[in-house]
Amino acid sequence: MPRWLTRVLARIHAKSADGSVHVTTKAQGEARALRLSSEDVESLLASLTVADFDVRFLSKDTAE
C-alpha cells in the first residue's frame, strides 16, 4: 500500500462528510450514466477503504 493512500482517503472522507466534494462535469456525466445521484457519489466516497485501491479500472468511455 502506498504511504500516501491513507492521507488521501482521510481527505476524501473529510470532504464527503462536510459536503465539500467537487464533482467534475465529466464525473457527473458518468455518475448519471450509472444512475447515481450526487448523494450516492458522496456516500460512495465516504465508504472508500484501502482495499478499494487494489485494482485499477478503465473507463469504457475514455479508456482512462
Side-chain angles (χ1 to χ4, degrees):
M1 168 181 66
R3 292 183 302 169
W4 53 265
L5 184 54
T6 54
R7 289 191 314 270
V8 170
L9 278 174
R11 288 176 55 200
I12 291 170
H13 292 157
K15 286 186 173 287
S16 62
D18 69 15
S20 64
V21 172
H22 171 74
V23 181
T24 64
T25 303
K26 176 184 164 215
Q28 288 173 358
E30 290 183 356
R32 276 194 302 271
L34 295 170
R35 296 189 173 132
L36 296 173
S37 68
S38 58
E39 292 82 16
D40 293 332
V41 172
E42 286 187 9
S43 176
L44 287 167
L45 290 172
S47 69
L48 287 174
T49 67
V50 171
D52 294 315
F53 292 85
D54 289 3
V55 180
R56 297 188 73 153
F57 296 96
L58 291 177
S59 167
K60 293 177 185 175
D61 298 329
T62 64
E64 293 178 308

